Amino acid sequence: MIQNRMGTPMSDRLRRPHALMRRAVLLAVAGLAAAGAQARDTWVVAGPVPVPTAPAASAPAARESVLDGPLLYEILVGEMALNDGDAASAYELELDAARRSKDAGLFRRTVDIALQARSGDKALAAARAWRTALPASPEPVRVELQILVLLNRSEAVGEPLKALLALTPAPERPALMAGIPHLMQRAANPAAVATVIEATLQPYLSGATAVPARVAIGGCWLIAKQPDQALEQARQAQALDPAAPGPALLALELMSQRPAAEALVQSYLARPDADPALRLAYVRTLTTQQRYAQAVEQLQIATRQQPEVAAPYLTLGAIELELNHNGSGEAALKRYIELAQREAAGPAGVASAASAASAASSSTPNEAQAGPAPRGVVQAWLMLAQAAERRGEYKAAEAWLDKITDPAQALEVQTRRASILARQGQVEQALALIRAVPERDAGDARAKVLAQAGVLRDAKQWRQAFDLLGAASAKDPDDTDLLYEQAMMAEKLDRMDEMERLLRRVMVLKPDSAQAPNALGYSLADRKLRLPEARALIQRALSLTPGDPFITDSMGWVEYRMGQDGEALRLLEQAYAARPDPEIAAHLGEVLWTLGRHDEARRVWGEARRRDAGNDVLRETLARLRVSL
């Protein structure tokens, strides 16, 4: 690794978002979304109040017993007027027919026509006429509520909500309350709506509806960006019924804004009857925050509780490999393949699927599987290939890749093969392999550039990678991924001015991303340059991604550079606990060493070396401090 002007190699963790294992973790977690989607459907969402939309030229089905000839004629004329672009006449004709017939389908159609014409007031009038004609039906009240919110008439929401609750049978009220926060999704003034909803739900804050009512109120305050009020409702709801999952799910949504909410999630998940779907939702949150060690703990519980469910094993395997726990990671991936193929085969094919899965997950793979494989299985094969590549078992890696026959995966497969070639010193052959992959669209062309740049970077051909990325960026100057990767190559070349220019361009184009300010702040801190500015940049990154262990590590490192050893130690210990990465370990060990806590420093460094003995930052730190383990 090239040395910078301070003699310290730049941390490769600054470019982790483009690593295969990082992408694999995200893809695996996305797979958990399907497995745990029922969590929100079951606990929090009864389904949003539907926004009526006008079907393309389709008249409502007429009730033969209600709609006579004159009414049918009026409906037909209205539909003809609508097709001719006269929405106003169509609305009046259909509303008149709906009032005379008291037909719900006609009222619904009238609301559709008004919304198609972008007339909120007429849609509201039709909904209210519908409600008058059919006072025992909850549907027009739901539609009225939705329209009132869309029209920003928060002061009028209370009465129809109260009426809807009264019309709903008692056993169904908790489900109705669960859907109330969705009323606010498009509210112009969500805080005003939340205030009205909280007042309306006051009579329901006792008895069987107490918990769902508080969760609904909390959800409204969450959408209104009042997390403290939302958290208080979650706490009160969980105190009323610790076994209810709703308060824990609300707390889970609050975790990014109020870390204290996590205690409610953990309290619920500590119960033996905790719903597995909520545990998987918690895993997704932990993984998003890169708290991989805690995510592994939860996934291990999930696989013990439901050992025959495939999805958690994929995420577990991806995270374990990301943490360099190769043995447990590969075991989890092979178990995932077995279960996923069994699930895909269905009950009739369990026996044959189990046999095929045994071959597919064997430690010495040899032939491709017949037919298209599920997406998750393909991802598992790719990760197993990289794990074998890490160990230098290139033939085994190729065997895993040979299983993948889907043309849509060609670029990723060839990129992995290119990495194998590059590791063996065949860089030009690796680049040629990537260039030869057919391009289905512009996205593939861009991906090929990034893949080639990755090969060149790993081969330490930083000038060639910089030039390649620069040429691609010249064609698309607003592509933040290209700019960021080029900035990282500029750092390798010790061209700090160019790196800073590129990263500041990324910050302008993508102000909500923490990646660029963290990279620039860390680079300045590592060189002991403009330390107050470096700290401000990292603080900005941390505010965008609270709790990220790598950004927390950056903050700890800048505090160390500024002589704040105590604060540096606190932050680095926090980062290392969340993510025991060798580079974080290198920094933590150095601070411990500086503080004279040599035995602790050696222990941390020793753990890191066992995980990744070849890590450049760790090796440089030990050499610079003249420490032997």
Side-chain angles (χ1 to χ4, degrees), residues 477-554:
D478 292 342
D479 188 312
T480 54
D481 286 338
L482 293 172
L483 290 168
Y484 184 86
E485 288 297 317
Q486 190 181 15
M488 295 300 95
M489 293 305 97
E491 190 282 331
K492 295 291 188 184
L493 296 168
D494 206 23
R495 294 172 57 174
M496 280 296 293
D497 290 346
E498 184 70 4
M499 177 193 183
E500 183 169 350
R501 181 188 69 79
L502 292 165
L503 289 177
R504 291 198 181 279
R505 175 64 176 159
V506 173
M507 284 187 264
V508 170
L509 293 170
K510 202 172 181 180
D512 59 345
S513 173
Q515 196 175 3
N518 178 57
L520 181 55
Y522 177 86
S523 301
L524 291 171
D526 205 42
R527 290 167 166 78
K528 298 183 181 178
L529 299 173
R530 294 151 46 196
L531 293 178
E533 182 182 354
R535 175 193 270 166
L537 285 163
I538 297 169
Q539 285 175 332
R540 171 181 171 182
L542 204 54
S543 70
L544 290 166
T545 313
D548 184 295
F550 285 113
I551 303 177
T552 302
D553 169 64
S554 297

Side-chain angles (χ1 to χ4, degrees), residues 238-257:
Q238 189 172 80
L240 289 169
D241 185 1
L249 188 61
L250 175 59
L252 187 62
E253 296 185 75
L254 281 161
M255 273 178 54
S256 62
Q257 301 175 60

Side-chain angles (χ1 to χ4, degrees), residues 424-437:
Q424 299 175 81
Q426 303 178 51
V427 176
E428 288 304 319
Q429 295 92 321
L431 296 173
L433 195 63
I434 295 172
R435 294 190 196 106
V437 177

Side-chain angles (χ1 to χ4, degrees), residues 40 44 149 157 161 176-185 187 189-201 212-227 229-231 233-234 250 253-254:
R40 171 169 290 278
V44 175
V149 171
V157 166
L161 178 57
L176 169 64
M177 291 176 183
I180 286 174
H182 278 261
L183 285 169
M184 302 176 57
Q185 292 293 346
N189 188 351
V193 179
T195 300
V196 173
I197 289 174
E198 182 169 16
T200 305
L201 290 178
R214 289 204 177 277
V215 172
I217 294 168
C220 291
W221 286 120
L222 175 62
I223 294 172
K225 298 182 179 179
Q226 299 292 331
Q229 290 174 264
L231 179 56
Q233 293 296 330
L250 175 59
E253 296 185 75
L254 281 161

